[in-house]
Amino acid sequence: MPIAVDIDVMLAKRKMSVGELAERVGITPANLAVLKNGRAKAVRFTTLAALCEVLECQPGDLLRWEAGDTDG
């Protein structure tokens, strides 16, 4: 998928665990792992907004486009 997810980078910068982020955002650790590992097919804007609020970042800090990696 051409969209890469950089939640790990922001977690490291904020010195926060996956479990703490999931709890503060209001999603399960399993669903956060799906998103974090790039296996999600979609993300709700409300979830993205909550992630940005908790991590004090912009959506572009969490998501980026990688050229040349398309699904067809």
Side-chain angles (χ1 to χ4, degrees):
M1 179 176 263
I3 301 297
V5 182
D6 290 328
I7 291 176
D8 282 338
V9 173
M10 292 308 297
L11 282 171
K13 286 182 179 180
R14 302 297 185 250
K15 296 184 172 99
M16 188 180 297
S17 70
V18 172
E20 180 183 354
L21 178 60
E23 183 177 325
R24 291 178 63 182
V25 169
I27 62 177
T28 66
N31 283 340
L32 181 57
V34 167
L35 179 60
K36 182 174 78 73
N37 295 326
R39 294 190 316 265
K41 296 294 182 190
V43 60
R44 293 178 187 264
F45 280 158
T46 53
T47 301
L48 183 58
L51 287 166
C52 290
E53 182 177 356
V54 170
L55 292 170
E56 298 178 354
C57 67
Q58 294 296 312
D61 296 324
L62 301 177
L63 304 172
R64 65 186 155 80
W65 179 75
E66 293 182 338
D69 186 14
T70 59
D71 287 335

